[in-house]
Amino acid sequence: MTILPEAKGKTALVTGASRGIGRALAKGLAEAGFDVAITDLPSQAAELDVTKSEIEAAGRKAYVYTMDVSKKKDIEATARALLEAAGSIDVLVNNAGILKPSLLQDLDEANWDAHFDVNAKGVLMMCQAVLPHMRARKSGRVINIASIAGRQGVPTQGHYAATKAVVITLTRVLAQEVGMDGVTVNAICPGIILTEMGKNNLGSEAAIRHWEDVAALKRLGAPEDIIGPVLFFASDLSAFVTGQALNVDGGIYYH
Ligand SMILES: NC(=O)c1ccc[n+]([C@@H]2O[C@H](COP(=O)([O-])OP(=O)(O)OC[C@H]3O[C@@H](n4cnc5c(N)ncnc54)[C@H](O)[C@@H]3O)[C@@H](O)[C@H]2O)c1
């Protein structure tokens, strides 16, 4: 458990927090001392409640909202409700995302649009809802969960990789647009993390062994491996770091 003294009295918002990396981040932020607001699709309400219990078990306040990150009205309503309930949003973690593999040659328009709506536009609209508040308070941390796929795609993930490249670019530009107001914007590029998404993506035990072998650390990631880098970007330790995208992949990719 990492305790951050500066987290006291602050609220972090994590999207897609009903499972996987989002749930681990919500718990990690709570254990570090943040109150945590968690959001996910309405279909994930029961799983969100499990995450809520984990935040409360760490002794922090939990705020729960069901919403779709691709719907502007949902986002605006959630940001308003959370600001009213908590008084501030100090850290925004844009984690919600989807991956439905397809060869680009066979990719249908609906699948392309769904990835861009959730993974790219969702991040932009969350930032648009929260940044004015952070800028007015002259402080805030935005952490976007991109992917090493955003650096270099692999077959069947071209559309997903393109959305994650967008997230890295949004991170770089937003950082320049809001830095004068004391807000930092950084991205994390996880490698292969053994969540529902990660396992579906790999598909077979043989593929898991292959990627374990490729990784310098000879293992794939757990959701908890993303907590430390998020706490770094959420804390005073990264006060002079903005517009960066950090690979957290056990040594798979080096650019
Ligand atoms: N697992 C990996 O190997 C890996 C690697 C690199 C990046 N990532 C990224 O990390 C993030 C979390 O991935 P994960 O592995 O925990 O996946 P996951 O599928 O377990 O979790 C994703 C969460 O996002 C939610 N979500 C999906 N669409 C949504 C929408 N429209 N509105 C709100 N919530 C929505 C899901 O319900 C789910 O709870 C994603 O952005 C993903 O692209 C994952």
Side-chain angles (χ1 to χ4, degrees):
M1 186 189 300
T2 309
I3 307 278
L4 299 172
E6 64 268 38
K8 198 172 174 357
K10 288 188 177 162
T11 303
L13 167 57
V14 184
T15 66
S18 75
R19 65 181 193 211
I21 294 172
R23 176 181 283 169
L25 296 182
K27 186 173 178 225
L29 284 158
E31 289 178 345
F34 290 95
D35 292 330
V36 186
I38 49 175
T39 75
D40 211 301
L41 293 168
S43 58
Q44 296 296 112
E47 288 88 345
L48 263 184
D49 270 346
V50 177
T51 310
K52 175 177 186 264
S53 312
E54 293 183 356
I55 295 164
E56 289 170 345
R60 307 311 320 163
K61 264 190 231 157
Y63 305 90
V64 182
Y65 303 95
T66 53
M67 57 159 241
D68 183 333
V69 295
S70 68
K71 299 215 161 43
K72 198 174 176 73
K73 272 193 186 148
D74 280 21
I75 289 173
E76 287 173 346
T78 297
R80 260 197 314 274
L82 177 57
L83 282 173
E84 204 167 298
S88 69
I89 303 173
D90 302 280
V91 177
L92 167 63
V93 183
N94 283 311
N95 166 78
I98 56 170
L99 167 56
K100 291 179 190 153
S102 166
L103 290 171
L104 285 174
Q105 186 180 307
D106 304 329
L107 183 70
D108 62 51
E109 216 180 318
N111 199 4
W112 171 271
D113 287 347
H115 280 74
F116 274 81
D117 283 352
V118 176
N119 297 1
K121 199 168 76 178
V123 170
L124 173 66
M125 293 193 303
M126 287 298 305
C127 289
Q128 286 175 329
V130 172
L131 279 171
H133 158 77
M134 289 180 169
R135 297 183 75 180
R137 299 179 72 238
K138 302 286 178 207
S139 107
R141 299 301 170 95
V142 177
I143 303 154
N144 295 325
I145 307 300
S147 170
I148 55 169
R151 312 265 198 204
Q152 177 177 313
V154 293
T156 77
Q157 292 185 20
H159 52 319
Y160 172 81
T163 65
K164 294 300 188 177
V166 168
V167 173
I168 293 170
T169 301
L170 289 177
T171 300
R172 291 180 177 143
V173 177
L174 281 169
Q176 297 170 68
E177 290 182 351
V178 302
M180 71 292 286
D181 288 326
V183 179
T184 67
V185 186
N186 290 289
I188 287 171
C189 297
I192 301 168
I193 310 297
L194 293 172
T195 61
E196 201 153 317
M197 181 188 285
K199 287 180 204 153
N200 285 344
N201 168 20
L202 287 169
S204 69
E205 281 299 315
I208 291 178
R209 297 289 92 78
H210 166 76
W211 284 107
E212 282 173 346
D213 196 43
V214 168
L217 297 181
K218 299 298 167 205
R219 70 173 179 89
L220 299 183
E224 291 70 25
D225 286 315
I226 311 301
I227 295 173
V230 163
L231 293 183
F232 170 66
F233 285 133
S235 78
D236 292 348
L237 292 170
S238 63
F240 199 50
V241 182
T242 196
Q244 301 304 307
L246 176 67
N247 293 353
V248 182
D249 66 355
I252 288 180
Y253 197 66
Y254 295 92
H255 297 282

